């Protein structure tokens, strides 16, 4: 390759790396897999060494990302360098030599520099570009496990990694409302959570911080007394001191030529066994990591070694050598989500990776899909990123013969390409797409509605992705898709049969259950019962009620009545209900001959019950006699049922302030005419 061609190649590689780095660090998204990034980086570094040319701004010479947010900026006292890396345990052994080292997790989050003065947290700054970071002090004070006050009067500067645990990540992602995009991984969510202008958002994201370095300790003139002495030349001793100060620190093991010891005194014979210890714990860890870090325990020795333009010489990163398997790419499954995003999932011939069988991998977005140049029948290499998440490493064939769908796989509505944070994504524009209304299906199958047991939110999502569910009625047509369901991951013959039986039971229902299950705005269980009763449980009458007739029903106002009428006048809703009526049957509703002694009265229940197994049982008794149940006490409340009249609960206090009678179960039963 000529020098001119080499320089052109280096410019192209540099451009691609910069785009990927900006997306990852600045925009908390991905346009390139880690495997691909490392491959391009290594190629650029090799060309630089061979040619002797290093271009200005080369990614091999820069650290972090350019800070572009609205947060205040601050220059670090000393430049924060990235770490050199290796995938070979033997390199770690030779790097450490005769020294004692500390081997710890390399956590995959956002690095934060914390400053304490007189025992108080006074400043927190992100790593940023390595030279300039963002001031996030108020956000850091919202971290779940970060001590705001510590027993030390010195001025301490500490580095740690802000992370969101996998368990919290799953909970947060499951609660994201419609119209918002789900996060791809905990690292992206953490970056977006920490670099916020609103600390309340950070608080709600359950960010944790794990300390990994005590950068400096400086005595403050006239400062607060010190109750903890800071060891300055042993990294292991500093870790233990950080624990004493109240910090959670990264898990670590000490390593030297005599062997390896872990804090619980587990002994290893060599570096290989130490690495194996960490590797065994990857799948059960609740926090994200992307390798290990080895540092010299002797801090002064490490400092004396100095640094290169980009890497310090007192630490080195170890990245797992990915187990890679070659297979054949078969198709892209387009998965529509409640956010409107249509995500590409690669399906390929099954391979064994890290002890499990893998046949699919998320491609994340169109940018990565285009980068891979996938085509049906291509030979591809797959691996598990950080030994956990299946990814495509590279495409050997690169036939690029895939067509981007023009319609949503769920609703057939128009699918358009959008640009989000420098990444191209496919988006469904149909606001009525079923994938955007998974919560409504969850409501439809809930206990008070159709009561379709075993139909979890995760199962609904899988069935929508697989094209099994397009509308509510399809929940009762699962038998048509037996072959597909029993071969889906996590399902089998037994679970399929259980679902069929649950659907059969749920298909025999009542008009009030169906009415509540439709999720019409404002129509709760009580309203559904009253409306159904007013129509003598005749569905045709229920579905054609006029606004005036609805407003004559106790508890139905003008706004609710209009919402009700609008729902049934909507053509799509009307069609969906018609299809439901083809697959369900109404049970005969037993005539309620109970005296309506509570008609027009509203009850609230609080505290524990003695004579009823649960509140539902008491609620049924109240409603059977014409009463209503509310969740909170107001001026409209007739009675608060509470066996503890002296309770300091909010409901008790509110009832007393409003003059609402507080009665016990016994008193309620006397109102019924005795026990």
């Amino acid at each position: 390759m000529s020098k001119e061609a080499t320089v052109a190649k280096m410019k192209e590689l540099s451009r691609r790396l910069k785009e990927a780095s900006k997306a990852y660090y600045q925009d908390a998204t991905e346009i390139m897999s880690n495997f691909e990034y490392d491959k391009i980086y290594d190629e650029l570094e090799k060309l630089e060494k061979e040619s002797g040319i290093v271009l200005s701004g080369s990614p091999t010479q820069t650290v972090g990302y350019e800070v572009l947010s609205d947060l205040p900026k601050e220059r670090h006292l000393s430049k924060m360098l990235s770490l050199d890396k290796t995938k070979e345990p033997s390199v770690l052994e030779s790097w450490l030599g005769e020294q004692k080292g500390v081997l710890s997790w390399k956590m995959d989050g956002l690095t934060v520099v914390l400053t304490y003065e007189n025992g108080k947290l006074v400043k927190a700054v992100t790593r940023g570009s390595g030279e300039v970071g963002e001031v996030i002090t108020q956000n850091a004070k919202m971290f779940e496990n970060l001590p705001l006050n510590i027993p030390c009067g010195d001025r301490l500067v500490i580095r740690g990694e802000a992370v969101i645990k996998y368990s919290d990540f799953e909970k947060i992602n499951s609660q994201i409302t419609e119209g918002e995009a789900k996060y791809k991984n905990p690292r992206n969510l953490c970056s977006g959570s920490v670099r916020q202008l609103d600390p309340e958002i950070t608080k709600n994201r359950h960010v944790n911080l794990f300390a990994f370095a005590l950068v400096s300790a400086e005595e403050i003139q006239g400062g607060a007394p010190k109750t903890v002495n800071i060891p300055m030349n042993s990294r292991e001793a500093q870790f233990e001191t950080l624990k004493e100060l109240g910090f959670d620190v990264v898990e670590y093991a000490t390593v030297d030529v005599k062997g390896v010891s872990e804090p619980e005194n587990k002994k290893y014979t060599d570096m290989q066994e130490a690495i194996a210890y960490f590797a065994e714990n990857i799948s059960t860890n609740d926090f994200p990591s992307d390798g290990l870090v080895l540092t010299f325990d002797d801090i002064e020795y490490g400092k004396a070694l100095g640094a290169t333009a980009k890497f310090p010489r007192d630490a080195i990163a170890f990245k797992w050598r990915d187990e890679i398997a070659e297979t054949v790419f078969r198709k892209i499954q387009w998965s529509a989500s409640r956010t409107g995003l249509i995500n590409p999932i690669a399906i390929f011939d099954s391979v064994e990776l890290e002890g499990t069988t893998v046949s699919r991998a998320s491609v994340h977005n169109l940018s990565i899909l285009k980068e891979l140049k996938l085509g049906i029948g291509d030979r591809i290499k797959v691996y598990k990123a950080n030994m956990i998440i299946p990814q495509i490493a590279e495409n050997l064939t690169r036939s690029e013969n895939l067509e981007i769908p023009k319609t949503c796989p769920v609703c057939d509505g128009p699918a358009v390409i959008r640009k989000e944070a420098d990444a191209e994504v496919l988006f469904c524009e149909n606001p009525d797409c079923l994938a955007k209304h998974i919560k409504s299906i969850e409501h439809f199958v809930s206990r008070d509605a159709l009561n379709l047991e075993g139909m979890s939110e995760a199962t609904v999502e899988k069935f929508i992705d697989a094209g099994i569910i397009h509308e509510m009625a399809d929940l009762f047509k699962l038998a048509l898709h037996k072959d597909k369901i029993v071969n889906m991951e996590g399902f089998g013959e037994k679970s399929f049969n259980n679902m069929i039986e649950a659907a059969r039971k749920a298909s025999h229902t009542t008009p009030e259950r169906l009415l509540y299950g439709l999720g019409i705005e404002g129509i709760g269980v009580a309203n559904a019962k009253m409306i159904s009763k007013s129509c003598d449980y005749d569905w045709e009458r229920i579905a054609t009620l006029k606004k005036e007739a609805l407003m004559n029903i106790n508890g139905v106002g003008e706004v609710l009545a209009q919402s009700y009428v609008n729902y049934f006048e909507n053509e799509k809703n009307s069609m969906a209900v018609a299809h439901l009526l083809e697959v369900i049957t109404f049970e005969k509703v037993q005539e309620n001959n109970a005296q309506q002694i509570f008609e027009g009265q509203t009850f609230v229940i609080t505290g524990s019950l003695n004579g009823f197994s649960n509140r539902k049982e008491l609620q049924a008794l109240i409603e059977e006699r014409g009463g209503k149940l509310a969740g909170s006490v107001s001026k409209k409340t007739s009675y608060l049922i509470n066996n503890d009249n002296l309770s300091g609960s909010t409901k008790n206090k509110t009832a007393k302030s409003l003059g609402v009678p507080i009665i016990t179960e016994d008193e309620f039963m006397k109102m019924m005419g005795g026990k």
Side-chain angles (χ1 to χ4, degrees):
M1 190 185 298
S2 67
K3 274 283 173 73
E4 186 178 349
T6 298
V7 170
K9 180 70 172 176
M10 288 163 60
K11 285 181 178 179
E12 172 61 16
L13 296 176
S14 181
R15 180 192 65 77
R16 291 171 65 190
L17 290 174
K18 285 177 181 178
E19 285 182 357
S21 186
K22 178 182 179 295
Y24 185 79
Y25 287 110
Q26 180 68 41
D27 302 321
T29 188
E30 293 179 38
I31 60 173
M32 182 186 296
S33 70
N34 288 340
F35 186 95
E36 185 71 9
Y37 184 93
D38 289 344
K39 180 184 173 186
I40 296 172
Y41 183 98
D42 291 343
E43 185 180 357
L44 175 61
E45 194 172 44
K46 181 183 177 184
L47 289 175
E48 288 177 344
K49 287 177 180 177
E50 289 175 349
S51 66
I53 299 170
V54 178
L55 300 172
S56 173
S58 169
T60 66
Q61 308 300 308
T62 56
V63 179
Y65 60 93
E66 182 184 359
V67 181
L68 298 174
S69 74
D70 293 329
L71 289 163
K73 313 299 185 295
E74 183 169 301
R75 186 168 293 276
H76 296 297
L77 294 176
S78 59
K79 188 175 181 179
M80 297 178 66
L81 301 174
S82 58
L83 297 180
D84 200 358
K85 64 181 184 294
T86 182
K87 292 186 177 182
E88 302 295 340
S90 59
V91 173
L92 292 188
E93 290 172 340
S94 61
W95 181 90
L96 186 61
E98 298 293 309
Q99 291 292 318
K100 175 183 175 181
V102 175
L103 188 67
S104 62
W105 291 112
K106 183 176 182 292
M107 304 191 90
D108 192 16
L110 198 68
T111 301
V112 179
V113 183
L114 306 160
T115 302
Y116 288 80
E117 291 181 358
N118 281 319
K120 292 184 178 181
L121 176 65
V122 295
K123 187 164 54 181
V125 184
T126 66
R127 176 185 178 180
S129 67
E131 295 183 5
V132 176
E134 299 148 307
V135 180
I136 56 158
T137 309
Q138 296 308 312
N139 292 349
K141 289 179 179 179
M142 299 298 165
F143 292 175
E144 288 208 328
N145 64 337
L146 183 64
L148 303 182
N149 295 282
I150 58 175
C152 183
D154 285 351
R155 182 177 187 274
L156 298 183
V157 179
I158 294 162
R159 288 179 188 170
E161 195 80 356
V163 299
I164 290 178
K165 296 179 179 179
Y166 283 119
S167 54
D168 289 323
F169 171 73
E170 295 298 337
K171 288 177 187 174
I172 292 165
N173 241 356
S174 68
Q175 294 165 1
I176 288 178
T177 56
E178 292 175 20
E180 295 179 295
K182 275 191 175 185
Y183 286 89
K184 298 295 181 189
N185 53 57
R187 195 265 167 206
N188 287 3
L189 177 58
C190 184
S191 177
S193 302
V194 172
R195 297 166 58 232
Q196 283 283 339
L197 295 175
D198 182 1
E200 190 66 26
I201 294 175
T202 306
K203 181 180 179 181
N204 294 333
R205 298 284 173 78
H206 306 290
V207 179
N208 282 258
L209 184 122
F210 291 86
F212 62 76
L214 201 164
V215 180
S216 65
E218 181 183 333
E219 190 169 341
I220 298 175
Q221 199 70 26
K226 292 183 286 183
T227 59
V228 174
N229 290 318
I230 307 297
M232 294 310 298
N233 201 40
S234 168
R235 199 166 295 279
E236 181 187 16
Q238 285 191 351
F239 270 172
E240 293 305 307
T241 301
L242 286 170
K243 289 181 185 178
E244 288 182 49
L245 291 172
F247 293 93
D248 286 339
V249 302
V250 294
E251 184 184 8
Y252 71 92
T254 55
V255 190
D256 59 27
V257 291
K258 298 173 184 175
V260 180
S261 66
E262 192 264 337
E264 283 74 29
N265 295 317
K266 290 179 182 175
K267 296 289 183 181
Y268 304 99
T269 56
D270 58 20
M271 184 78 75
Q272 295 272 8
E273 288 196 23
I275 293 171
Y277 166 76
F278 286 99
E280 286 168 8
N281 285 277
I282 287 176
S283 60
T284 56
N285 273 348
D286 197 22
F287 54 80
S289 66
D290 57 356
L292 303 173
V293 175
L294 179 63
T295 58
F296 293 114
D297 181 64
D298 188 329
I299 295 171
E300 290 303 318
Y301 174 82
K303 285 181 178 177
L305 296 175
T308 67
K310 187 173 182 180
F311 305 124
R313 291 195 173 100
D314 65 345
I316 186 171
F318 174 81
K319 300 197 78 172
W320 309 110
R321 179 170 288 285
D322 303 302
E323 182 182 340
I324 299 175
E326 190 173 316
T327 184
V328 178
F329 169 71
R330 294 301 179 188
K331 66 176 181 178
I332 284 289
Q333 179 180 309
W334 295 95
S335 173
S337 72
R338 71 184 67 187
T339 65
L341 291 176
I342 304 173
N343 301 309
I345 298 171
I347 309 297
F348 44 82
D349 291 348
S350 299
V351 290
E352 289 289 321
L353 285 176
E354 312 292 350
T356 61
T357 302
V358 179
S359 61
R360 53 197 285 132
S362 173
V363 188
H364 297 308
N365 53 50
L366 295 185
S367 294
I368 294 179
L369 189 70
K370 290 179 179 179
E371 183 79 28
L372 289 168
K373 295 187 177 179
L374 283 172
I376 306 300
D378 282 356
R379 299 292 304 179
I380 60 173
K381 289 185 176 181
V382 294
Y383 72 109
K384 280 190 175 181
N386 301 328
M387 299 173 71
I388 297 175
I389 305 165
Q391 303 260 293
I392 296 178
E394 61 179 315
N395 181 6
L396 303 175
T397 313
R398 302 176 75 81
S399 61
E400 199 174 11
N401 61 22
L402 290 179
E403 284 189 23
I404 307 301
K406 301 240 182 339
T407 59
C408 171
V410 172
C411 68
D412 289 328
V416 297
I417 296 175
R418 291 184 180 178
K419 194 94 166 179
E420 290 189 3
D422 284 344
E424 283 190 343
V425 297
L426 195 62
F427 190 85
C428 172
E429 291 196 315
N430 177 15
D432 297 319
C433 177
L434 192 64
K436 297 182 182 181
H437 298 284
I438 288 174
K439 287 293 180 187
S440 65
I441 302 178
E442 193 178 6
H443 172 80
F444 181 78
V445 302
S446 66
R447 181 176 297 178
D448 289 329
L450 274 289
N451 193 22
L452 208 168
E453 294 180 0
M455 190 58 63
S456 67
E457 182 180 341
T459 298
V460 170
E461 283 197 87
K462 285 183 179 179
F463 285 178
I464 288 175
D465 281 348
I468 294 170
I469 297 175
H470 295 277
E471 60 177 351
M472 301 293 192
D474 292 332
L475 292 163
F476 302 95
K477 300 176 183 177
L478 300 179
L480 300 174
H481 306 278
K482 180 179 179 178
D483 290 344
K484 184 179 284 189
I485 293 173
V486 295
N487 289 304
M488 288 174 69
E489 187 178 347
F491 295 89
E493 192 83 30
K494 185 177 179 180
S495 58
F496 171 78
N497 290 334
N498 289 340
M499 280 189 289
I500 294 298
E501 177 59 20
R504 186 193 65 77
K505 288 180 180 178
S507 69
H508 301 292
T509 190
T510 62
E512 61 196 56
R513 280 181 173 274
L514 176 58
L515 181 58
Y516 171 67
L518 294 178
I520 302 170
E521 189 175 354
I523 302 297
V525 174
N527 285 334
K529 286 181 177 179
M530 285 187 291
I531 292 170
S532 299
K533 183 181 176 183
S534 74
C535 296
D536 296 325
Y537 305 99
D538 182 330
W539 182 260
E540 189 172 343
R541 288 174 59 190
I542 291 170
T544 55
L545 273 172
K546 300 301 181 186
K547 183 177 177 181
E548 296 74 19
L550 282 161
M551 290 174 63
N552 287 328
I553 299 172
N554 185 33
V556 179
E558 184 176 0
V559 175
L560 193 152
Q562 188 61 57
S563 172
Y564 186 100
V565 171
N566 289 346
Y567 180 90
F568 284 104
E569 287 182 349
N570 180 283
E571 187 177 346
K572 287 184 178 178
N573 294 339
S574 182
M575 184 69 71
V577 171
H579 292 163
L580 273 170
L581 294 176
E582 293 172 1
V583 292
I584 65 170
T585 56
F586 289 126
E587 299 171 352
K588 186 175 181 181
V589 179
Q590 295 294 322
E591 189 67 32
N592 179 14
N593 296 317
Q595 192 176 354
Q596 304 297 287
I597 58 175
F598 297 139
E599 190 161 358
Q601 296 183 356
T602 301
F603 291 79
V604 174
I605 306 170
T606 191
S608 58
L609 300 173
N610 301 321
F612 295 89
S613 58
N614 54 50
R615 291 186 185 182
K616 289 281 185 186
E617 192 177 325
L618 177 53
Q619 177 183 345
L621 200 59
I622 292 169
E623 291 175 346
E624 189 180 66
R625 284 155 177 76
K628 286 178 60 180
L629 202 75
S632 58
V633 178
S634 69
K635 290 179 181 179
K636 295 181 180 180
T637 305
S638 306
Y639 295 97
L640 171 65
I641 301 175
N642 187 357
N643 286 323
D644 183 4
N645 196 301
L646 301 177
S647 165
S649 70
T650 302
K651 288 177 181 175
N652 249 31
K653 290 177 181 177
T654 305
K656 288 175 181 177
S657 67
L658 295 174
V660 173
I662 303 174
I663 61 174
T664 63
E665 278 179 79
D666 289 342
E667 290 170 320
F668 170 78
M669 294 306 293
K670 286 176 183 176
M671 291 169 63
M672 292 266 300
K675 292 188 178 181

